[in-house]
Every structure is written in structure tokens, then in C-alpha cells.
Amino acid sequence: MATRSHRSPSSASGRRRAALGAAVAAVAVALVAALIVAFGPDHGSTAGPAGATSVAEARATPTATTPAAEPTTASPSASASASPSPSSRRSAPAAAGSAPSRAAATPAAEPARKASGSAPLAGRIKPGVSYEGVATFYDVGNGDGACLYGPTTDVMTAAMNTTDYETSKACGAYILVRAASGASVTVRITNECPLPCAPGQLDLSPQAFAKLAAPVTGRIPITWSLLSPSTSDTISIRYKTGSTRYWCGIQAIGHRNPLARLEVRTASGWSELPRTDYNYFLSEQGSGCGGAIRLTDIYGERMEITGIAVRPDVAQSTGMQFARH
């Protein structure tokens, strides 16, 4: 109480002036703070989105660049890793730029490679496979044999063992034969070598055997494989002795690749003829005899032949040939 009674008017007014000054200073500080907050770099309406965009672009660029370089390293095994590997599937979406176009290009080339090498209609003898066996030789006489191609002056021929002869499917096949010495010879299958010829065995003409070893050797180990050779020959069609429009046997001669099917056109469409072990396709009821013929090789290539009349024992040229593989 005493303290309050001794206050003078001048000191009270001073206190009021001091309080007023403090209030003004506080207002000024608050105003400055508000201005700083309002116009600071983190709250500017223009600076904010621009900054966010630049940051996003800076992060996206390395991500896009890195996957683009990956196919270069992975391309040798692209066909192997494209489908079976789950990790490769997961990484594929990251390559959003040029990588998908590269991934699409690799599978596109794959069917062409498979088509050129595959032989879906091949029997026991398949392209790209090396077979082991032995080579012997025999007196080929006039060159005719079980394939009934007729006499020939071609001495580079061979008889195929019964197993691999496969009901004449081997007839006309070109075979590359290799000896352990490194010597090799190409022969055409014109005959069958019956038992005791074992699977893998080839009975060569004497001239062909001499390309591999001295005839005195008599029997040598070999490996052999199917060829699709270069040739200027074209395919001919021959009707068997006794063929008429009511019964016929048809044979193809001079085909580059082994023949898989022979069909004739009938009133109901194409009809496949059964093959005999003497290399003729028979139409027992005469269906299609003298009409259009369709040949298919082991690679699936088909050719349609017209204008071949029923003329027994005459080889009529078609002027056509299967593609080389």
C-alpha cells in the first residue's frame, strides 16, 4: 500500500509511454515476421510447383537412362531370359523408353531362326543331328536300289540301314559322312541295307567308301548328318508301271530335302497317299490319279504341281525345287 501511495504522476506517464513503445515494437516485429512468413521461398505460389517439377525430372532422368543401357548387356541372352525369369519380367516395366522396342525386336527374329532350322515333319533322320555308326560298302551294280529311282551313273550313293530307312522316308536324302581321319563324302540314299545292318550304319558305294578309307579296311566308324545341298536339279514326277486313272503309284525324284508327304487333289479336297517301302505313294482306288499333286518336304514347304499326265515309267519334270536349308 505504501508503495502504491508514493507513485508520482510523471513516473506513471513514463510507464505508459514505455508500455506504448513496447506495444509498437511488438507490432512491428509481428508485422516483419508475417512478411517473412508470407513471402518466404518455401511458401511462394510460383516457386513451389516449379521446384517440385525440377526435382521429379532430376530423379526420373537417371532411372530412364540406366534401364536403356541394360538391353545391350542382356541382348545375347534376351531370348532365354525374356519369358522364364520372373526377375526379368519385373525389370521390364522400368525400361519405359527405348528398352521395350529392343525387347520386341528380339522375339520377332526368333521364329525365323526356328523356322529355318526346324523340320517338324522329319522322321528318324533330323537336320542338325550327328549320328554315329559304321560304314561298309557293297557292289551297287547299275545304281538302282530299293528306292526304285532306276539305273544311274551317280556313284556317290549309299544304302541306309532298315531302321533309319524308315519305310523309304530316307530315300533321296543327302548325307554328309565323316570318318575319324577327318575325310568326308556326300552321298545320296538310293537303297536299303537290311539286317544285319545296324541303326546308324551306311552301306556305301565302293567309290564313296574309298573317299573315306582304303577299301581293304572294309569297315570303319563314322558320323553322319543330313544335308540340304545346293543343286541345279529340279523335281520330277513318275507314275509307276501299270498306273491308270483307276489305280496308280506316284513317285517324286530329285528333291533336295527328304519328302514327308505326297497328296493328290480329289473331289473332296487334298488326300494324302500312303507310302510304300519301295518309295511310291499309292492311290489304290484311283483317286487323284492324273490330277494335281502336292509335295511337302520335312521342313513343311509345300508345292502344288499340275499338268502331270498318267504316263507310266516316264520322269516328268516339274521345273520346281524345295528351298535350301
Side-chain angles (χ1 to χ4, degrees):
M1 298 293 293
T3 303
R4 283 197 298 269
S5 65
H6 285 88
R7 292 173 185 168
S8 65
S10 60
S11 63
S13 62
R15 286 195 297 271
R16 284 196 297 270
R17 285 195 297 271
L20 179 61
V24 171
V27 170
V29 171
L31 180 60
V32 172
L35 290 174
I36 293 173
V37 171
F39 295 99
D42 293 334
H43 293 81
S45 60
T46 302
T53 302
S54 63
V55 170
E57 288 174 351
R59 291 176 181 171
T61 302
T63 304
T65 302
T66 304
E70 286 178 1
T72 304
T73 304
S75 59
S77 60
S79 61
S81 62
S83 56
S85 171
S87 60
S88 65
R89 289 197 208 100
R90 287 195 297 270
S91 64
S98 58
S101 62
R102 295 180 189 174
T106 302
E110 200 58 31
R113 290 195 294 270
K114 290 179 180 177
S116 64
S118 64
L121 301 179
R124 288 181 56 85
I125 303 174
K126 296 176 172 54
V129 178
S130 181
Y131 299 88
E132 295 183 352
V134 297
T136 51
F137 66 92
Y138 75 109
D139 182 4
V140 298
N142 64 5
D144 199 5
C147 296
L148 294 188
Y149 288 134
T152 179
T153 58
D154 179 12
V155 295
M156 293 301 157
T157 60
M160 180 65 73
N161 67 86
T162 296
T163 302
D164 296 319
Y165 182 78
E166 201 177 3
T167 316
S168 78
K169 286 183 180 179
C171 285
Y174 287 87
I175 302 296
L176 174 63
V177 188
R178 297 182 180 87
S181 64
S184 65
V185 64
T186 298
V187 296
R188 186 169 64 99
I189 302 302
T190 60
N191 206 351
E192 177 184 8
C193 183
L195 294 173
C197 274
Q201 183 172 348
L202 294 174
D203 211 9
L204 307 176
S205 67
Q207 296 88 339
F209 188 92
K211 296 281 187 180
L212 303 176
V216 68
T217 310
R219 181 184 182 96
I220 59 171
I222 57 167
T223 59
W224 55 271
S225 56
L226 181 67
L227 286 182
S228 178
S230 174
T231 178
S232 59
D233 293 342
T234 57
I235 298 172
S236 296
I237 297 295
R238 180 163 56 198
Y239 278 93
K240 194 178 186 306
T241 302
S243 293
T244 67
R245 57 180 296 190
Y246 305 106
W247 177 96
C248 66
I250 308 174
Q251 180 186 62
I253 307 168
H255 40 86
R256 186 202 312 267
N257 306 318
L259 197 62
R261 285 198 296 255
L262 187 150
E263 301 166 278
V264 292
R265 182 182 286 164
T266 66
S268 57
W270 289 104
S271 176
E272 182 177 353
L273 299 184
R275 190 173 197 163
T276 66
D277 59 0
Y278 51 88
N279 197 33
Y280 272 90
F281 296 81
L282 296 186
S283 177
E284 297 281 5
Q285 306 303 320
S287 299
C289 295
I293 298 170
R294 187 163 70 181
L295 305 178
T296 306
D297 70 2
I298 62 171
Y299 297 95
E301 182 182 355
R302 295 188 302 192
M303 59 177 62
E304 186 176 330
I305 302 164
T306 58
I308 302 295
V310 181
R311 298 172 59 191
D313 300 320
V314 177
Q316 302 178 63
S317 177
T318 66
M320 304 170 72
Q321 184 58 271
F322 290 120
R324 187 180 182 188
H325 290 263

